Amino acid sequence: MYNRKGQISVIRIGVLAGVVGLLLVAVAAVTYLSDQASKQSPLEIAPYPNAQLWGTSDERFSSRNEFFRSPDSPEVVTAYYQQKLEEHYGNRDQSCVRLPAQGDAPSSGGNSRTVPYQFICLFDNSGFRTSQYTRVLIYPGLPDPDPYYNADGMTIIKYEQQWQR
């Protein structure tokens, strides 16, 4: 840092500051690019242990829907995803939301095709100019005359996933 005369060398300090600045820019670029790359696939949340894959729909280049079925109640399944939310965020600030908060949806009375209530759990891993999330919907299954679509007595778990291209 000092020149031959024992004084502070402005040139040496400038070169050192320039090198440190270039290193910081390189580290920032690598961090940004790795963050962008990590958002190019779905945010995977482990399915409920007792659930079976029921099918997928609306698969696109950067989004998909997956359906699972479980014989356990929606409340038991939601407790599992609440625990997963706490693990994902590292705290209890986020929680699954029940819609409607109490009772059944007004439009579900007498209509066998309307879900009476649902729980929504949002797992978000979005970053700077990127989006990556999995929204989990949990609701009671509905009866259907077609045996494949009949979910009476089951709980449906729907993953709505979106990620960056």
Side-chain angles (χ1 to χ4, degrees):
M1 292 300 154
Y2 296 99
N3 61 17
R4 293 181 189 174
K5 297 180 185 176
Q7 300 171 332
I8 295 179
S9 173
V10 176
I11 293 175
R12 288 184 182 172
I13 291 176
V15 169
L16 180 63
V19 168
V20 169
L22 286 174
L23 285 174
L24 288 175
V25 168
V27 167
V30 168
T31 301
Y32 174 76
L33 292 173
S34 67
D35 180 60
Q36 295 290 312
S38 73
K39 307 288 193 272
Q40 294 181 355
S41 62
L43 176 59
E44 297 295 343
I45 306 299
Y48 183 70
N50 206 10
Q52 295 177 338
L53 182 64
W54 194 22
T56 60
S57 72
D58 295 333
E59 291 193 42
R60 295 188 182 100
F61 185 67
S62 63
S63 67
R64 73 177 176 201
N65 291 329
E66 291 184 318
F67 294 87
F68 299 88
R69 291 193 303 188
S70 171
D72 296 333
S73 74
E75 291 74 18
V76 171
V77 173
T78 301
Y80 168 81
Y81 284 102
Q82 181 61 45
Q83 179 185 356
K84 289 293 182 187
L85 268 179
E86 292 170 9
E87 291 171 10
H88 178 73
Y89 289 107
N91 57 42
R92 294 179 178 215
D93 292 346
Q94 303 294 323
S95 62
C96 298
V97 176
R98 186 186 193 279
L99 295 176
Q102 295 178 349
D104 291 345
S107 61
S108 67
N111 184 353
S112 64
R113 300 303 316 151
T114 302
V115 175
Y117 64 91
Q118 66 181 346
F119 293 92
I120 301 172
C121 310
L122 180 63
F123 297 85
D124 192 2
N125 195 35
S126 299
F128 180 72
R129 298 184 63 192
T130 60
S131 64
Q132 182 189 43
Y133 65 86
T134 296
R135 187 170 98 150
V136 179
L137 286 83
I138 304 157
Y139 51 90
L142 301 173
D144 194 288
D146 184 338
Y148 180 76
Y149 293 108
N150 185 19
D152 194 26
M154 304 289 282
T155 295
I156 308 302
I157 306 160
K158 179 183 180 185
Y159 280 31
E160 297 177 348
Q161 297 178 303
Q162 184 164 347
W163 60 92
Q164 200 64 34
R165 295 188 210 202

